Amino acid sequence: MPDETPKPAPAAKPRTNFVRDIVDEHLRNGRFAAVHTRFPPEPNGYLHIGHAKSIHLNFGLARDYKGLCNLRMDDTNPETEDMEYVESIKEDVRWLGFDWQDREYYASDYYERLYQWAVELIRKGVAYVCDLTVDQVREYRGTVTRAGVPSPYRDRGVAENLDLFARMRAGEFPDGSRTLRAKIDMASPNMLLRDPLMYRIRREHHYRTGDGWCIYPTYDWAHGQSDSIEGITHSICTLEFEVHRPLYDWFLDQLGVHHPQQIEFARLNLSHTVLSKRRLLELVESRLVSGWDDPRMPTISGFRRRGVTPEAIAAFCETIGVAKDNSIVDLPLLEMCAREHLNRTVPRAMAVLRPLKVVLTNYPEDRVEEFEAVNNPEDPAAGTRRVPFSRELWIERDDFMENPPSKFFRLSPGKEVRLRYAYFIRCQEAIKDAAGNVVELRCTYDPATRGGDNPPDGRKVKATLHWVSARHAVDAEVRLYDTLFTVRDPASVPEGVDWKATLNPKSLEVVRGAKLEPGLAEARPESRWQFERLGYFCADRRDSRPGAPVFNRTVTLRDEWARLVKAGREAA
RNA sequence: UGGGGCGUAGCCAAGCGGUAAGGCAACGGACUUUGGCUCCGUCAUCGGAGGUUCGAAUCCUCCCGCCCCAGCCA
């Protein structure tokens, strides 16, 4: 059976953006001789499509400039981080097609180095141990419109600071009782420069350093120095860190070490979903989705399970560009990227989701024919397959209407259509049950149209339907997805309103008893297909079994008829 | 009302003083054994107001709007 093997993300045609402009300038003026970036996730959740944008930016830059990109776990907060997340992150980055070779780093591996550097800053008189409580620190910091006031511990002597800091590390003080702070400027208009915290005391088991430390560095103290240690040239992060840049620069300047350039870009927002680890975690923990890889989730693993390819994600990241304005990208753009790649690479098959029985009254009871079907009209090399045909068939319920409007080209009493690759058939009679529901169609076929060809008399039909031979059909479960949320920007809700209120109750529809052509029975988990006239589907990597396949709908095909129906409904 | 950013079509996004790329969506048409694919066509004067200039989306001034910063989160 033909199937499709996922390939790594290829280098898309590089497109210019302001980050590349900056890099070009640095290379031209000699500030840096090469490009060395890093992708620095915190292992406290699964990667989502927003991370994919960052991954493509960072690894893409390294690839295009013949430089390097490190993978670094930004693990400075023991409370939320976990090895499960590290593993998922590595798997997702690899699946996207990127390779960090042996450069798998952890901020937690730099704890000792960071500690020594902190000691250096204390000696230099620009860092001090502060005994203020959390509330006091907040109070002393001031507000955005009111300057802060210096901590009473700000001018402690170097010796005392050194002693206190060593004892903080040794575990002599209770959690939260003291901090190490940088001595910068309590009156700075930039809140981050008002003596920012470098260390906090937290007796928390760390997933990698265990109980080796009871003091942990903050993001600001750890990040830039980690970049420096690794020889990073361009430290690319999202817009909210723009106000951190003066602090990033300050630490590096005080230390006099290798100084990367921080560059900020706008994080990705996707319509009809949420893209924050906090909210995604909440969906997972409250069981509103089946897990981080629920096919409705905007996570890398969710899209993977849904059937979106790494190539499609690469094309998407390339298409959306990199800039500095906050924006929300329309979901249809991602869907277009998925369709574009799937159309070129995936084999076709016939599957009937909501079966309606068709009996060909003039076709022999015991006869079975096999017709040759094209696997992928976009790819001749994909070859053909044989599909069995017999007297009783399944067609899609939506392909029959008893009283059709004029634009409906499909089956209705007295009308003729083509069964793809098989024959023209004409509907003679619709059989109904006691309630008046159509339960079966009696049709006749035209032997002169074998293979689906137009007959010698020049007759034509306006519709071609997909079908499955009833006696050869394989039953399957098929999962149809809609957007997770009903509104474009679910995260923007008035205060006091639950952001989950706009979750789409119809985001998942499970169809049991779908009828598939026999070749699909053994579909390999994660194999992707186009079910003709319906959409792209992916055999679920967790639940699909040989003989009992389970398919997830990745995305529908564009549907001109559906648009007409919708337009008609809106006009009415 | 302090500081830092950003405003080009319904949604992204090029443009860097010389007379508005491209993609998605939408709409119209061609083709069609998937109402798929493909192809053709239509669709903006650049947040606002002044100013500089032969010439401004690009430079200057003021105004308006949106985002970020008061976690011992990242």
Side-chain angles (χ1 to χ4, degrees), chain A residues 235-254:
Chain A
S235 179
I236 301 169
C237 59
T238 45
L239 248 31
E240 65 268 31
F241 293 102
E242 205 146 22
V243 286
H244 292 243
R245 184 160 19 102
L247 179 54
Y248 182 99
D249 291 336
W250 189 89
F251 280 133
L252 262 9
D253 287 341
Q254 289 298 324

Side-chain angles (χ1 to χ4, degrees), chain A residues 2 347 374-377 379-385:
Chain A
V374 174
N375 285 328
N376 186 346
D379 177 17
T384 62
R385 68 185 185 285

Side-chain angles (χ1 to χ4, degrees), chain A residues 280-311:
Chain A
L280 295 177
L281 210 212
E282 195 176 332
L283 292 176
V284 171
E285 292 190 327
S286 54
R287 312 296 300 166
L288 289 165
V289 294
S290 66
W292 287 97
D293 70 345
D294 184 302
R296 292 168 295 179
M297 290 283 272
T299 49
I300 304 299
S301 52
F303 282 125
R304 174 180 180 177
R305 199 170 163 193
R306 176 93 168 238
V308 176
T309 61
E311 291 89 338

Side-chain angles (χ1 to χ4, degrees), chain A residues 97-111:
Chain A
F98 295 105
D99 181 12
W100 54 92
Q101 297 165 302
D102 61 340
R103 297 180 314 285
E104 176 178 327
Y105 299 132
Y106 294 79
S108 52
D109 284 343
Y110 307 143
Y111 283 179

Side-chain angles (χ1 to χ4, degrees), chain A residues 19-20 23 35 37 56-65 236:
Chain A
V19 177
R20 284 172 188 264
V23 171
V35 173
T37 56
H56 275 92
L57 216 204
N58 281 296
F59 279 93
L61 228 33
R63 173 194 62 215
D64 298 338
Y65 284 83
I236 301 169

